């Protein structure tokens, strides 16, 4: 796994703005090199704030939105349009404001979808969609996502992979259902660590003092069972994007880059 690069910004607003600018550059570079790009979205406060900043910047016009595939790292298993779904927040913050190709937007199934109230079937449906999108050069059952964004929870969870939960032991499946999550709602769908590690770049995002201990665990010698964020690494690069409060308890000796 790649060694994380830690980037520290003064406050959550500057963190979200800088991450949005970095995202534009990354997507434009990938599209120039390969034509299309694949991005995995995350929910949560800072993840949604990044999308809102992306919608607000004029630089967003540099992206060819019609050649961008959008996926999700996890989802609350709730009805379509529910305000707590990550998809709903992403559409409100960004997706409804840019000219995406609807066929390239891949939300995780909702509880009122074709699988009904069966999260296991819905997870397999999403896994099948990922398999169909993977190319021979991806060498696996999911696309090689160009950027996979993940918020870090105060317990060091990422996506809907919570400490000590069964999903963390998964080594074969790329998408699983989660029941009994410690954070409501209890039923969710999530990418597994093998799917996350297929990404070329993984970006871990955290803001606020409440995330400082989780960030420390994610960047220490804690294993992914205790701190799932410690197992989320990209094949080519892993970025940890923080504000100063979230970075206040970083392990000593860790290389970091502080923005003004």
């Amino acid at each position: 796994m790649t060694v994380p690069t830690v980037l520290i910004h003064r406050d959550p607003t500057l963190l979200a703005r800088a991450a949005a600018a970095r995202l534009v550059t990354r997507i434009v570079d990938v599209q120039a090199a390969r034509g299309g790009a694949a991005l995995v979205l995350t929910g949560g406060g800072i993840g949604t704030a990044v999308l809102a900043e992306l919608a607000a910047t004029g630089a967003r016009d540099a992206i060819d939105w019609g050649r961008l595939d959008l996926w999700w790292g996890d989802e609350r298993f709730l009805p379509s349009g529910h305000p707590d779904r990550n998809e709903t927040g992403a559409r409100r913050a960004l997706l409804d404001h840019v000219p995406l190709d609807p066929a390239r937007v891949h939300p995780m199934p909702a509880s009122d979808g074709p699988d009904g109230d069966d999260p296991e079937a819905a997870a397999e449906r999403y896994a099948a969609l990922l398999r169909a999108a993977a190319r021979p050069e991806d060498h696996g059952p999911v696309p090689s996502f160009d950027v996979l964004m993940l918020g870090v929870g105060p317990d060091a969870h990422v996506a809907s992979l919570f400490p000590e939960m069964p999903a963390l032991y998964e080594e074969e499946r790329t998408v699983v259902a989660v029941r009994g999550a410690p954070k409501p709602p209890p039923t969710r769908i999530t990418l597994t660590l093998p799917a996350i590690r297929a990404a070329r770049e993984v970006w871990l995002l955290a803001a606020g003092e409440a995330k400082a201990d989780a960030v420390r665990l994610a960047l220490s010698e804690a294993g992914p069972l205790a701190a799932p964020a410690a197992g989320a690494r990209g094949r080519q690069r892993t970025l940890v994007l923080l504000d100063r409060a979230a970075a206040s308890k970083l392990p000593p000796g860790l290389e970091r880059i502080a923005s003004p």
Side-chain angles (χ1 to χ4, degrees):
M1 295 191 294
T2 51
V3 176
T5 298
V6 180
L7 303 172
I8 304 171
H9 301 277
R10 187 173 68 235
D11 56 46
T13 299
L14 289 179
L15 166 60
R17 195 169 296 159
R22 185 177 294 275
L23 199 53
V24 170
T25 299
R26 173 67 174 153
I27 293 170
V28 169
D29 286 349
V30 170
Q31 289 182 332
R34 296 200 304 270
L39 170 65
V40 180
L41 302 180
T42 187
I46 192 62
T48 304
V50 171
L51 299 185
E53 290 290 347
L54 183 52
T57 178
R60 77 181 200 189
D61 294 335
I63 295 173
D64 186 341
W65 293 98
R67 294 192 298 159
L68 181 65
D69 282 287
L70 293 179
W71 304 88
W72 271 261
D74 77 315
E75 188 56 275
R76 290 87 181 267
F77 197 55
L78 297 167
S80 299
H82 192 287
D84 289 343
R85 276 180 61 86
N86 292 333
E87 177 196 0
T88 304
R91 289 190 183 278
R92 183 172 58 248
L94 174 66
L95 276 55
D96 290 343
H97 309 291
V98 291
L100 292 160
D101 177 355
R104 300 182 78 158
V105 179
H106 311 288
M108 287 185 165
S111 62
D112 58 349
D115 301 297
D117 195 20
D118 184 344
E120 285 79 16
E124 176 50 39
R125 181 180 296 276
Y126 206 65
L129 190 63
L130 287 165
R131 282 196 300 271
R135 301 161 298 179
E137 58 266 33
D138 294 323
H139 303 293
V142 299
S144 297
F145 310 115
D146 295 296
V147 175
L148 188 150
M149 297 193 298
L150 294 167
V152 179
D155 58 355
H157 83 265
V158 289
S160 285
L161 299 171
F162 295 92
E164 307 296 341
M165 292 287 285
L168 289 169
Y169 294 87
E170 183 60 54
E171 296 181 356
E172 299 296 331
R173 291 179 294 172
T174 58
V175 189
V176 296
V178 173
R179 294 180 182 267
K183 178 181 178 182
T187 306
R188 296 157 175 258
I189 300 172
T190 186
L191 296 185
T192 61
L193 285 178
I196 289 170
R197 292 169 180 158
R200 292 185 173 92
E201 294 194 7
V202 168
W203 297 8
L204 296 168
L205 301 153
E209 188 176 356
K211 304 293 182 70
D213 285 326
V215 169
R216 177 181 54 80
L217 283 174
L219 297 174
S220 69
E221 296 182 359
L225 290 179
R233 299 290 184 265
R235 284 176 22 225
Q236 296 177 357
R237 185 162 71 156
T238 302
L239 297 181
V240 183
L241 306 171
L242 309 170
D243 71 351
R244 288 179 182 171
S248 61
K249 297 182 180 179
L250 289 178
L254 190 73
E255 184 177 352
R256 63 200 79 182
I257 301 170
S259 296

